[in-house]
Amino acid sequence: MLRETQTNTSNYLIKQLPKATAFIDKEFKVVHASDTWIDYFDFNSDQVIGKTIHKLFGKVNPEWQEALDNCIRGQQSAIEIERYFDSNNREKWFEWVNIPWYDEGENIIGVILQVEDVTKRINNELEHEKLQILLKEKSEIAKIGSWEYDAVADELTWSDMTKKIHGVPLSHKPDLANGIEFYKEGYSRNTISLAVHKAMVEGIPWTERLQLVKANGEEIWVIAAGKPLFKNKEFIGLIGTFQDINDSVISDLKTKENEKLLRTLIDNLPLNVFIKDTDSRKILANKSEVSFCGLEDESQIIGKTDFDFYDQVTARSSREEDLYVMQTLKPILSKETINVKKDGTVTTFMTSKLPLIGDDGKSNGLVGISWDISDIKQKEK
């Protein structure tokens, strides 16, 4: 009677264990199980007690079966993590521990299974891993590296991409002074030295476009950014990023060089050249056009229309031509036009107007080219 009471008490205590626990005998039948363990797997007490784990879980994978067999032989298994789908086909992750079950005589009579639901942790780890992969991919594509300086330990840490930007091996161990020396001597090195100093002393972050000299001597452009870290108002370090922008800077420089060359060519043509927007406002004019309008600088003509320089008849006729070109997308080539300025000056031009067509196939303005042929017309007369 006393033994039966003790057994009932043990069952009662096991049922209330806060950790999901089950006791199975050497035939892998469930002898005891906590309510938590039963709830984890959507079982009920009638289904569990006396049933083998093979019956309860279906096919037991070889790794788990080997771990159970080892427990029967007295070897505790390592912690295992398994994926499980409940009755609603929801994915769950459980952390398993298999421990040998001994009786009073230190004889192994089965296995104690302890389980913990780690679904939330695993999902967080998976999300973190995905985030790290995405960040790494973005870092590779955008060529952005990170770095961190621990002022207490006086240690500088570079990410793999930062080392790649500097052209050093992954085994390279940088320090703050060495990091500054990578900047090109002169403006870039002076700028970063001052920025680091202000960050440490005044707590001012920085973002600068500077030149870096890689380990192989190659000069590149980077965006260097940094931010100071403080704890209890005491400076403890710096964090920041590096971005290799050399390709875009070189491309911009070439574009500006080509634009400058083209502008030089346009300004020195013995023709009036201008560009108008869809409202016939001038957004570009070469020196000949500016001078013809009686102005000294292009800025004085930008945003103006022909109504600001010619009489109503001439301006209206010009506007009608502009609309025709922009609406039909057909150019007007070598058309003889007579322009009358507001001061009464009459000039005969040979004019061409060509539509500026955007990616959407619609006109967003026009290019005009005019050649003053007044002298030729006078000679013809």
Side-chain angles (χ1 to χ4, degrees):
M1 183 69 179
L2 180 62
R3 185 175 183 84
E4 185 179 343
T5 302
Q6 290 176 337
T7 301
N8 290 336
T9 302
S10 297
N11 288 340
Y12 182 72
L13 291 174
I14 291 171
K15 281 172 64 66
Q16 295 186 88
L17 286 174
K19 192 163 188 177
T21 308
F23 292 73
I24 63 173
D25 61 20
K26 288 186 175 182
E27 295 177 352
F28 306 112
K29 291 179 181 179
V30 178
V31 179
H32 307 290
S34 69
D35 291 341
T36 310
W37 194 85
I38 293 170
D39 290 341
Y40 268 2
F41 303 105
D42 295 328
F43 296 144
N44 60 58
S45 299
D46 296 335
Q47 284 181 310
V48 170
I49 305 303
K51 299 290 193 307
T52 66
I53 58 170
H54 305 84
K55 184 79 172 177
L56 293 170
F57 293 102
K59 186 178 180 181
V60 174
N61 67 55
E63 291 81 8
W64 189 22
Q65 184 64 60
E66 183 181 355
L68 294 172
D69 292 337
N70 288 336
C71 276
I72 298 296
R73 291 192 288 268
Q75 300 174 18
Q76 180 174 332
S77 68
I79 296 173
E80 300 287 343
I81 294 178
E82 295 288 341
R83 185 169 63 166
Y84 176 77
F85 290 92
D86 64 16
S87 57
N88 295 316
N89 204 35
R90 289 175 300 190
E91 182 186 58
K92 290 185 177 182
W93 291 87
F94 292 106
E95 189 174 78
W96 289 81
V97 179
N98 306 297
I99 307 167
W101 178 18
Y102 295 91
D103 63 9
E104 294 88 343
E106 295 297 320
N107 300 307
I108 295 175
I109 58 174
V111 180
I112 302 172
L113 306 177
Q114 288 192 316
V115 187
E116 184 178 354
D117 187 343
V118 292
T119 304
K120 187 175 180 180
R121 190 188 85 197
I122 293 297
N123 287 338
N124 287 340
E125 289 176 355
L126 289 173
E127 287 300 317
H128 179 72
E129 187 176 348
K130 289 177 186 176
L131 181 60
Q132 291 301 311
I133 292 171
L134 288 173
L135 287 175
K136 186 176 180 181
E137 288 297 318
K138 288 182 179 179
S139 174
E140 291 288 340
I141 294 170
K143 296 181 180 179
I144 298 176
S146 60
W147 58 271
E148 182 175 351
Y149 173 65
D150 184 341
V152 179
D154 190 25
E155 291 182 354
L156 179 63
T157 305
W158 284 353
S159 69
D160 290 351
M161 177 52 69
T162 299
K163 291 178 181 179
K164 187 175 180 180
I165 291 172
H166 285 75
V168 297
L170 296 181
S171 58
H172 179 76
K173 295 187 180 300
D175 57 53
L176 197 59
N178 169 252
I180 291 175
E181 287 175 1
F182 271 95
Y183 288 89
K184 186 175 181 180
E185 192 173 0
Y187 172 79
S188 292
R189 191 178 296 177
N190 294 339
T191 299
I192 197 64
S193 298
L194 183 60
V196 170
H197 175 73
K198 283 187 174 182
M200 291 179 170
V201 177
E202 302 175 34
I204 301 174
W206 76 85
T207 301
E208 300 285 351
R209 193 175 84 159
L210 304 169
Q211 280 185 290
L212 199 72
V213 182
K214 297 176 68 171
N216 63 1
E218 179 189 357
E219 294 182 6
I220 63 170
W221 286 92
V222 298
I223 290 180
K227 183 178 181 180
L229 299 174
F230 290 88
K231 186 176 183 180
N232 297 326
K233 297 183 179 180
E234 183 179 347
F235 173 73
I236 60 169
L238 301 164
I239 57 171
T241 58
F242 267 105
Q243 183 174 12
D244 181 347
I245 58 168
N246 197 60
D247 291 344
S248 62
V249 170
I250 297 301
S251 178
D252 288 345
L253 290 174
K254 286 182 179 179
T255 300
K256 288 179 180 178
E257 194 175 303
N258 291 336
E259 287 176 353
K260 186 177 180 180
L261 181 63
L262 182 61
R263 187 60 199 243
T264 301
L265 176 63
I266 291 173
D267 277 338
N268 287 279
L269 286 173
L271 303 168
N272 290 19
V273 180
F274 54 85
I275 297 177
K276 294 180 179 180
D277 64 15
T278 53
D279 293 320
S280 293
R281 293 182 299 235
K282 288 191 171 74
I283 57 175
L284 179 145
N286 72 344
K287 289 182 178 180
S288 295
E289 176 70 6
V290 171
S291 177
F292 177 76
C293 292
L295 304 172
E296 296 182 355
D297 190 82
E298 184 188 22
S299 61
Q300 296 173 291
I301 202 173
I302 298 301
K304 302 289 181 63
T305 70
D306 290 335
F307 288 93
D308 294 299
F309 304 104
Y310 303 105
D311 67 5
Q312 289 291 315
V313 175
T314 301
R316 195 176 297 112
S317 175
S318 179
R319 174 58 176 164
E320 290 172 357
E321 290 175 354
D322 294 350
L323 289 173
Y324 170 82
V325 170
M326 290 186 287
Q327 290 172 358
T328 65
L329 304 183
K330 294 179 180 179
I332 293 175
L333 301 175
S334 302
K335 180 181 179 182
E336 189 175 307
T337 59
I338 297 175
N339 295 345
V340 181
K341 287 185 177 182
K342 286 189 173 183
D343 62 4
T345 304
V346 179
T347 308
T348 304
F349 280 105
M350 187 69 75
T351 302
S352 295
K353 294 181 178 180
L354 302 89
L356 284 174
I357 303 173
D359 294 335
D360 57 359
K362 297 179 181 178
S363 174
N364 51 32
L366 61 84
V367 177
I369 302 171
S370 297
W371 174 32
D372 186 348
I373 59 170
S374 300
D375 289 344
I376 295 175
K377 297 303 293 183
Q378 187 63 35
K379 288 177 182 178
E380 285 180 356
K381 289 181 180 180

